[in-house]
Amino acid sequence: MNKKLDLFKNISLWPVVIYSFVLILLPLLYILFLSFCETDYVGGINYHFSIVNYLTIIDSTYLLIFAKSALIGIITTLICLVIAYPFAIFLMDKKEEVRNALIKLVMIPFLTNSLIRTYGWIVLLRKNGIINNGLTSLNIIKEPLSLMYNNIGIIIGMVYTLLPFMILPVYAAVNKLDPNLIKAAKDLGANKFHVFKDIIFKETISGAFNGSLMVFIPAIGYFFISDILGGGKQMIIGNLIKDQFLTARNWPFGSAISIFLIIVTFLLVRVYKKIGGNIDELGGM
Amino acid sequence: MKRVLVELKNLSKKFGKEHVIKDLNLDIYEGEFLTLLGPSGCGKTTILRMISGLEKVTSGKVIIDGKDVTDIVPAKREVNTIFQNFALFPHMTVWDNIDFGLKMHKVPRTEADKRIKDAINLVKLKGFENRKPDELSGGQQQRVAIARGIVLNHKVLLLDESLASLDLKLKREMQIELKKIQKQLGITFIYVTHDQDEALTMSDRIAIINNGTVEQIDTPENIYRKPHTKFVADFIGEANILTGKITKVSENEAVVSLPDNMDLTIDNKNYQVGEEKTVVIRPECFDISSIESLDSFKGVVKEYIYDGMITKLIVQKDNTELRINLMDASSFKEGSDVYLKVPKKYIIVLGDKNE
């Protein structure tokens, strides 16, 4: 190997290594360290070893928040799956230009700040918002629906914000599928439902799981959606962590919940591996 | 008389403006091995897909076992396809792949298990039941595809260039085996290929497809020995194709005069003097000698190509090049004079009726 090239390789790698070390690994280690400290209840930290933060997590109030977050996350994930698959299958036999154009449309929202887009939903969802006014003036409903400041609002916001993260991996997986497999299944007597369940879904399960992780994890953490569309009173894990750091100023407890969330993520990947998933297809997580 | 199992009536297919299949009629008999042979792009795969239902018919009818299935979905047709890349389900084991169709048809478990076992024995895959497709060789994958196709006991199996991806030696083995399986099961195989060796080896009948129509349908021997058109003669095997005029007619014989003073004596089939005729001579049909004899014509060996089993000579006769294949050509060197004759039974005259 050329020595100059080796040198260049080493130098060009350093920025990434430094970036990952300073901005990802160090803060994470700091969070891990903090999670084993104690709060002094006035915003400071007592630096002595303790597992009290982790014991607090098991408290029923917090468990309830976790359970609710998980439920919102699961519902969001399922809705995204239900929307992403028909879309990906619809694109399968389309021309490449059509496919590319529609996938670009999916990605366009990324160009705008998601906070602003979430505020945009208020105009649509509030009591005298566009949806409610539209439906009442068409006499479809008499009373305006409660579409925000509740769980429905949070789920609508989550699905809207996170849907691209489901569509892209699902589309990538479905697009890679050999069309002959579907033809073969039809040829062997499978109806549309079986073609989807036994062939398309099973062959693209890694894409579905990948998308599900990318939707589920943010869905339990995106506090701003819960703040804006849930009216701040609907707590999810994301709000809880944010509040510990910014409002309650209990950094050790906030750190402990963060570490807990990371562990849950790793467990989910383990589960995927257990049920026979290919880790490489998740991008080497 | 054999029973017609698959009937294609005035079948047409258009892709946009392109007219791929033009008013095609084809009867396929019960239990036969029929090959659709033609150059790539001739529409042979489209015909197969219209039989399976994977491609919609523009106009015309597909009749299978007396039932018009033109508008019936593939799942409800009593045919199965073996795809070029086999299209085995990657996440399923060999057993589950073969079982898939049986499950879809809700065949009772004990019956299904028995049929899978029989199919696995037939294609010699015993012991591989729990492997996934990517743990099998190309030949083994081919066998799984065959087992999956026949396990439903349908009367017709469609094979779309199914041996194309195998290497030559394996291909030869599978050709013989495929033919054996077909005979053993007694079901109809409709095989699509552009490989003439494959077609000649396996088929009961070959349909030569060109430009979306059937050029000729016949036994392999007749396709080779009695081609009806220039295209068929040229497409199957090697051929010297020459056009000339009838110059002499007697009671039983006629003489066709080809360019460069080649006069060939042929059987007279009501030919008229002056009639234009195209004759086909296969390279192995020449009598070749270094000594002049009655009715022979002289040429010069231009090229001498040793090809193992045979030797190929290219003989220049004035402006015409003739291809000649010989088992033993050791006495003819490049540049030497040779005298050629063609026995009249080996001369194929195109356009003859009532063959």
Side-chain angles (χ1 to χ4, degrees), chain B residues 151-184:
Chain B
V151 80
L152 288 172
N153 293 342
H154 286 162
K155 285 180 182 150
V156 186
L157 192 66
L158 310 172
L159 302 99
D160 184 5
E161 309 232 13
S162 301
L163 300 179
S165 61
L166 304 179
D167 63 66
L168 191 65
K169 198 166 180 296
L170 195 57
K171 204 190 241 184
R172 294 259 158 83
E173 278 172 33
M174 284 310 292
Q175 283 171 8
I176 294 166
E177 196 155 328
L178 212 52
K179 180 76 196 162
K180 223 156 86 188
I181 289 172
Q182 187 261 342
K183 266 191 186 153
Q184 209 169 330

Side-chain angles (χ1 to χ4, degrees), chain A residues 21 24-35 259:
Chain A
F21 185 75
I24 299 173
L25 189 65
L26 278 185
L28 262 180
L29 287 174
Y30 184 54
I31 295 269
L32 183 66
F33 167 73
L34 279 184
S35 72
I259 296 294

Side-chain angles (χ1 to χ4, degrees), chain B residues 134-148:
Chain B
D134 62 1
E135 297 163 335
L136 300 173
S137 69
Q140 288 165 338
Q141 290 181 16
Q142 165 84 65
R143 287 161 198 271
V144 180
I146 295 170
R148 191 176 70 173

Side-chain angles (χ1 to χ4, degrees), chain B residues 25 41 119 249 269 280 354:
Chain B
N25 288 291
V249 177
K269 286 176 182 155
V280 175
N354 57 48

Side-chain angles (χ1 to χ4, degrees), chain A residues 260-274:
Chain A
F260 175 75
L261 202 55
I262 292 171
I263 292 170
V264 168
T265 311
F266 273 106
L267 286 179
L268 284 176
V269 177
R270 289 302 293 235
V271 168
Y272 170 71
K273 215 172 169 180
K274 262 266 159 61

Side-chain angles (χ1 to χ4, degrees), chain B residues 314-333:
Chain B
I314 293 178
V315 172
Q316 188 89 37
K317 161 72 178 147
D318 300 339
N319 293 316
T320 307
E321 279 184 0
L322 297 169
R323 304 164 142 271
I324 298 170
N325 294 348
L326 293 172
M327 290 278 275
D328 176 12
S330 51
S331 51
F332 309 105
K333 295 282 167 280

Side-chain angles (χ1 to χ4, degrees), chain B residues 93-137:
Chain B
T93 61
V94 168
W95 180 279
D96 290 337
N97 260 286
I98 302 171
D99 191 23
F100 185 80
L102 294 166
K103 269 192 188 142
M104 293 303 120
H105 284 82
K106 301 201 172 68
V107 176
R109 203 60 256 163
T110 43
E111 157 87 7
D113 286 347
K114 191 185 164 289
R115 270 154 77 172
I116 298 169
K117 266 183 204 144
D118 289 347
I120 284 176
N121 284 337
L122 185 75
V123 299
K124 299 179 193 148
L125 272 179
K126 216 161 182 231
F128 292 91
E129 291 90 342
N130 293 319
R131 299 258 192 116
K132 292 267 178 76
D134 62 1
E135 297 163 335
L136 300 173
S137 69

Side-chain angles (χ1 to χ4, degrees), chain B residues 1-137:
Chain B
M1 193 61 200
K2 280 186 211 158
R3 199 167 75 92
V4 174
L5 191 64
V6 180
E7 216 178 328
L8 307 180
K9 273 190 174 170
N10 307 100
L11 207 58
S12 285
K13 176 73 192 177
K14 282 182 185 167
F15 288 116
K17 279 181 187 159
E18 216 181 330
H19 209 152
V20 187
I21 303 296
K22 296 161 195 157
D23 202 27
L24 180 131
N25 288 291
L26 191 58
D27 286 350
I28 299 157
Y29 300 125
E30 192 167 28
E32 80 168 329
F33 195 127
L34 179 91
T35 299
L36 305 177
L37 177 67
S40 49
C42 71
K44 54 195 189 297
T45 297
T46 308
I47 298 171
L48 202 71
R49 295 223 169 119
M50 287 195 284
I51 300 174
S52 67
L54 293 168
E55 199 74 72
K56 284 209 170 87
V57 170
T58 307
S59 67
K61 270 182 188 169
V62 179
I63 295 160
I64 298 173
D65 208 3
K67 214 168 75 186
D68 184 350
V69 297
T70 314
D71 298 316
I72 288 179
V73 294
K76 298 257 165 69
R77 295 192 188 192
E78 304 230 320
V79 298
N80 283 112
T81 304
I82 294 178
F83 293 85
Q84 185 171 5
N85 63 355
F86 313 138
L88 300 176
F89 306 128
H91 63 280
M92 294 184 197
T93 61
V94 168
W95 180 279
D96 290 337
N97 260 286
I98 302 171
D99 191 23
F100 185 80
L102 294 166
K103 269 192 188 142
M104 293 303 120
H105 284 82
K106 301 201 172 68
V107 176
R109 203 60 256 163
T110 43
E111 157 87 7
D113 286 347
K114 191 185 164 289
R115 270 154 77 172
I116 298 169
K117 266 183 204 144
D118 289 347
I120 284 176
N121 284 337
L122 185 75
V123 299
K124 299 179 193 148
L125 272 179
K126 216 161 182 231
F128 292 91
E129 291 90 342
N130 293 319
R131 299 258 192 116
K132 292 267 178 76
D134 62 1
E135 297 163 335
L136 300 173
S137 69

